[in-house]
Amino acid sequence: MCELLGMSANVPTDICFSFTGFLHRGGGTGPHRDGWGIAFYEAGGYRDFRDPHPSVDSPIARLICDYPIKSHVVISHIRQANVGQVQLANTHPFTREMWGRQWCYAHNGQLAGWESLPLAVYRPVGSTDSEHAFCFLLGELRRRFDDLPASPEAIWSCLHALCERLRGLGVFNLLLSDGVHLYTYCSTKLAHITRRAPFGKAQLSDAELSVDFVEHTTEHDVVSVLATEPLTDNEQWVRMLPGELLVWRDGEIVARYLDHGETAQ
């Protein structure tokens, strides 16, 4: 299956260190050779890079590592194709506009019976179950809400219910963002770590690279990184529970939804 990488931070932050380890899994230390992509939200804007070739050999991926784009929210994906050809149209992350915001999405897993999911406003460009599920998600949110409500908790609860429905079709691990919040939903595998003062050193598991975050941060910085599997071997990562939805903003968890309906903030 594919792998996911995400970041939420309270200050503009580059993801070069984590992305360096992540891209090695795209055909180097891992089998995910069928494309990769990464999306950044910057100062109200959005940009992404996608490539249907292995990330470990990609000149575009090396550019990202050498070009420290600073962002509050990042979503990245490396693909091991199950449904749909290896081509740019099927390469994550996918994006659509809704309520005046760019919504970005990446999925890890495989769904059965996804063709029967009803579509309304949004239609897939490619041929993957992942993009079809994304169009279904946004279409259902847009059908139930005319615009962003003043209180976003209603959307969060609805999103959790929709993710639970999709989990019923198979494996559905998700990263989703509107540029303000980062939503992470776990079906089988997703782990996270939050780095804050006092900062220390980290060592990548997939590459011979370490960093001392003290040299690159202030005492006020909060940066959370999420990945399918932990990216470092000397830090304590927290594994999400199956059926758990976490809502992140500025590096912090602001809401949590569990598969039996419990919420916490």
Side-chain angles (χ1 to χ4, degrees):
M1 291 188 183
C2 310
E3 291 203 21
L4 302 171
L5 170 66
M7 184 189 77
S8 173
N10 69 338
V11 293
T13 304
D14 75 69
I15 199 171
C16 295
F17 174 72
S18 296
F19 184 66
T20 296
F22 188 63
L23 69 84
H24 277 77
R25 297 179 179 178
T29 59
H32 312 86
R33 299 186 57 84
D34 300 325
W36 68 276
I38 189 168
F40 302 88
Y41 288 93
E42 306 168 61
Y46 170 92
R47 60 172 151 181
D48 63 29
F49 302 82
R50 295 185 296 147
D51 187 355
H53 303 292
S55 59
V56 70
D57 300 322
S58 171
I60 303 174
R62 290 196 295 272
L63 168 68
I64 301 301
C65 291
D66 295 336
Y67 181 25
I69 299 172
K70 294 187 181 296
S71 174
H72 285 276
V73 178
V74 176
I75 289 178
S76 186
H77 180 276
I78 50 176
R79 185 176 184 225
Q80 186 177 13
N82 291 307
V83 178
Q85 296 179 341
V86 178
Q87 58 186 29
L88 186 61
N90 291 332
T91 304
H92 305 225
F94 303 109
T95 182
R96 298 288 192 280
E97 182 276 333
M98 184 169 69
W99 303 324
R101 295 182 180 179
Q102 289 282 3
W103 289 73
C104 175
Y105 157 102
H107 162 234
N108 161 27
Q110 192 169 358
L111 305 175
W114 55 273
E115 300 95 337
S116 64
L117 290 169
L119 300 180
V121 177
Y122 301 98
R123 293 288 189 274
V125 175
S127 55
T128 65
D129 54 346
S130 299
E131 188 183 14
H132 190 106
F134 178 40
C135 292
F136 163 75
L137 270 179
L138 290 193
E140 287 297 297
L141 288 174
R142 189 163 178 171
R143 182 177 66 84
R144 301 179 194 194
F145 302 95
D146 293 331
D147 205 339
L148 277 171
S151 178
E153 287 81 1
I155 288 181
W156 301 347
S157 178
C158 180
L159 177 61
H160 181 247
L162 291 169
C163 288
E164 289 283 86
R165 177 176 173 181
L166 290 167
R167 181 164 72 118
L169 302 181
V171 177
F172 189 73
N173 300 297
L174 161 127
L175 298 183
L176 175 72
S177 181
D178 62 354
V180 177
H181 295 97
L182 174 65
Y183 305 96
T184 63
Y185 178 80
C186 177
S187 172
T188 54
K189 287 184 180 181
L190 206 53
H192 58 88
I193 186 170
T194 298
R195 299 182 179 117
R196 65 177 83 237
F199 291 95
K201 295 182 179 180
Q203 169 66 51
L204 290 175
S205 304
D206 298 89
E208 293 187 6
L209 180 66
S210 62
V211 64
D212 188 345
F213 289 111
V214 172
E215 300 173 0
H216 305 278
T217 56
T218 74
E219 62 180 9
H220 305 294
D221 295 358
V222 179
V223 180
S224 293
V225 177
L226 301 101
T228 301
E229 292 287 353
L231 293 165
T232 58
D233 55 20
N234 67 327
E235 296 179 294
Q236 188 67 42
W237 291 66
V238 178
R239 292 192 181 274
M240 290 180 61
L241 301 174
E244 182 179 26
L245 173 74
L246 296 178
V247 182
W248 303 80
R249 181 165 185 171
D250 295 335
E252 305 279 12
I253 297 171
V254 296
R256 180 185 184 216
Y257 295 79
L258 302 177
D259 61 355
H260 51 275
E262 177 184 344
T263 64
Q265 288 185 260

